[in-house]
Structures are given as C-alpha cells and as structure tokens.
Amino acid sequence: MKKIAMLAVIAVFGMTAAHAQTAKSTKKSGDAKVTKVETTPKVDGAGMLFESETIDYGTVPHGADGKREFVFVNNGNKPLVITNAQGSCGCTVPTYPKEPIAPGAKGVIGVKYDTNRNGAFQKTVTLTTNATEPSKVLTIKGNVMPEEAPKETPKS
C-alpha cells in the first residue's frame, strides 16, 4: 500500500512540474490571454531581421499609391549602419535610415513603386550594410491594372 501511495505522490509531483514549464494563461473579462515570449535570434555584430523580405502589392489600379515599408530589427549587439539602398530600376525608389540603428531597435526601409506602369512586376531593392550579412535583397511584386479609357459622354 505504501508503494502505491508513493507512486501517486510522485505522479502528482511530476505532473505539477511538467505544467510549471508551460506558458501561463490569464483570464480577463472572458477573453483568454496567453503570455508569449518573443525570441529574436541574436548575432555577434550588427544584424537585420525583417518581418518579411517580400511585399506583394497584389493587383492595384493604375496610378495608385505605390508606397510600402519593410520593417526590421537590429538583432545584433552592435549598431547597424545602412550605407546604400539601390532599386533594380528607376521605377523602384527606396528610402532608408541614415543614422545607425541601435541593437534591438526597429527600422524601416521605404519603397515606392511607380504604378503608372501597367502589368505584372517583380523588382528588388539591394541594401548595403555593416551587418554580418553585408548585402540584403528585398523583393516587391504585384500587378498594375491598365488605366481605364475615359468614358465618352453621348452628344444630344
């Protein structure tokens, strides 16, 4: 009988210890909230970790706003310096922060595509940095619909 009681105590203790290792959830006004621990891979030196390295414009009308943003974080332990951002053609114009990005800080690479050009497109922006990976290529893609012909008004 002592062996069974001891086995039950060990099982309860083991289950308690196993559940202590998982994220705790708290309940507020009927909604379940789970505590999330965000882990960013760290690099020695400067680094760039993008939320997304490709932006899909989808299908946009002729002359629409072609501005989009690539958001990144410096996941290194040294300041990140972007020395150049070059579009693959004149229709793709990037902007980038000129000041160093501190470790753990976020930055934004802006891209403007000329939506006065009809048809499908896939363009790149090449970044030159002091990161451990000194050259980074970002991609934009989408389709610009042709401009609608002006509607003629019937003459009476």
Side-chain angles (χ1 to χ4, degrees):
M1 187 67 174
K2 289 181 183 180
K3 289 181 182 181
I4 294 174
M6 184 59 119
L7 184 59
V9 169
I10 291 173
V12 169
F13 179 73
M15 294 297 287
T16 304
H19 286 293
Q21 301 300 316
T22 61
K24 294 181 180 181
S25 64
T26 59
K27 200 157 192 159
K28 289 185 179 181
S29 63
D31 296 329
K33 303 272 183 182
V34 176
T35 305
K36 181 181 174 186
V37 178
E38 192 172 311
T39 59
T40 304
K42 298 289 183 185
V43 295
D44 188 29
M48 294 180 86
L49 183 63
F50 283 87
E51 289 179 0
S52 174
E53 294 180 15
T54 300
I55 293 179
D56 188 349
Y57 281 58
T59 300
V60 296
H62 181 86
D65 182 19
K67 294 179 181 177
R68 301 292 189 273
E69 294 181 337
F70 289 96
V71 178
F72 67 92
V73 65
N74 177 357
N75 63 336
N77 57 8
K78 294 185 180 169
L80 172 70
V81 178
I82 301 171
T83 55
N84 192 26
Q86 182 70 44
S88 57
C89 74
C91 59
T92 307
V93 181
T95 58
Y96 61 96
K98 307 295 190 257
E99 65 280 346
I101 309 297
K106 286 188 176 185
V108 174
I109 305 295
V111 178
K112 182 171 185 346
Y113 179 74
D114 181 6
T115 58
N116 289 320
R117 300 169 181 247
N118 297 335
F121 66 91
Q122 182 167 338
K123 305 295 179 184
T124 60
V125 173
T126 304
L127 303 175
T128 306
T129 70
N130 69 330
T132 54
E133 183 182 338
S135 183
K136 186 70 160 176
V137 178
L138 306 173
T139 304
I140 61 171
K141 62 183 180 178
N143 186 29
V144 179
M145 297 301 298
E147 185 175 16
E148 289 186 25
K151 295 181 181 177
E152 292 185 28
T153 56
K155 295 181 182 177
S156 323

